[in-house]
């Protein structure tokens, strides 16, 4: 274990992408907690990475938070202005991100987006399905024409 550090361990501080230390404590427990939250070297696709209206939607917030933890974000949305706004936020904080306009319910559009992500970053580690349609059953039983169903079946 790490021993009793309740009196001497500072809480983990989650900072931005400015490279500043994320923890005010150099204890082994703080370092372990910091490393557990790190997504450095990971690539994430976030569908619906824009926002339907002003403010923070789930997709925008998820994309930005993944980037703040070190992930490279490939944002998908059917609204070019909305997804570009999200990518702009990530880049302004020093993160790495790119966007592609995509209708995730169109299997060809979705497959092309996944391929573009892998071509750009060389990998795909995290998939956040924030938007789409609804079909009865689980992901493995989704009809192929649902976009995500086709991707899962390949």
């Amino acid at each position: 274990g790490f021993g009793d550090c309740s009196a001497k361990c500072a809480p983990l501080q989650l900072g931005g992408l400015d490279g500043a230390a994320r923890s005010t404590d150099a204890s082994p427990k703080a370092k372990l907690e910091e490393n557990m939250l790190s997504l450095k070297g990971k690539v994430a696709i976030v569908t619906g990475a824009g926002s339907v209206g002003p403010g923070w939607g789930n997709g925008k917030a998820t994309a930005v938070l993944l980037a703040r933890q070190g992930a490279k974000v490939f944002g998908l949305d059917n609204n070019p202005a909305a997804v570009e706004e999200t990518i702009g936020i990530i880049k302004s904080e020093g993160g790495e991100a790119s966007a592609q306009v995509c209708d995730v319910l169109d299997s060809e559009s979705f497959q092309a987006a996944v391929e573009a992500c892998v071509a750009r970053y060389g990998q795909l580690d995290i998939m956040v399905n924030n938007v789409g349609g609804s079909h009865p059953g689980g992901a493995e039983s989704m009809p192929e024409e649902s976009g995500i169903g086709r991707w899962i079946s390949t």
Side-chain angles (χ1 to χ4, degrees):
F2 295 107
D4 180 27
C5 69
S6 58
K8 59 185 173 185
C9 293
L12 187 64
Q13 302 296 316
L14 298 178
L17 297 173
D18 58 2
R22 292 182 177 263
S23 175
T24 57
D25 186 0
S27 72
K29 182 177 180 182
K31 287 180 183 177
L32 177 64
E33 288 173 349
E34 184 175 328
N35 289 336
M36 288 173 52
L37 296 173
S38 175
L39 296 175
K40 187 175 182 176
K42 303 294 184 188
V43 175
I45 285 181
V46 179
T47 66
S51 187
V52 175
W56 290 87
N58 290 337
K60 179 190 269 186
T62 300
V64 170
L65 289 174
L66 287 169
R68 286 179 179 168
Q69 294 308 118
K72 297 173 186 169
V73 174
F74 196 81
L76 304 180
D77 204 289
N78 62 1
N79 181 332
V83 73
E84 286 299 335
E85 180 181 338
T86 302
I87 300 309
I89 292 168
I90 292 169
K91 288 182 175 182
S92 75
E93 293 182 4
E96 188 171 342
S98 56
Q100 183 160 323
V101 175
C102 177
D103 175 1
V104 299
L105 296 179
D106 177 87
S107 60
E108 290 178 11
S109 177
F110 183 71
Q111 186 67 39
V114 171
E115 290 171 6
C117 174
V118 174
R120 180 174 185 107
Y121 295 116
Q123 64 193 53
L124 174 58
D125 304 292
I126 302 165
M127 178 71 192
V128 179
N129 184 23
N130 180 59
V131 296
S134 179
H135 297 280
E140 69 282 350
S141 65
M142 288 181 105
E144 188 170 326
E145 61 274 4
S146 72
I148 298 242
R150 177 178 173 192
W151 185 69
I152 290 171
S153 70
T154 57

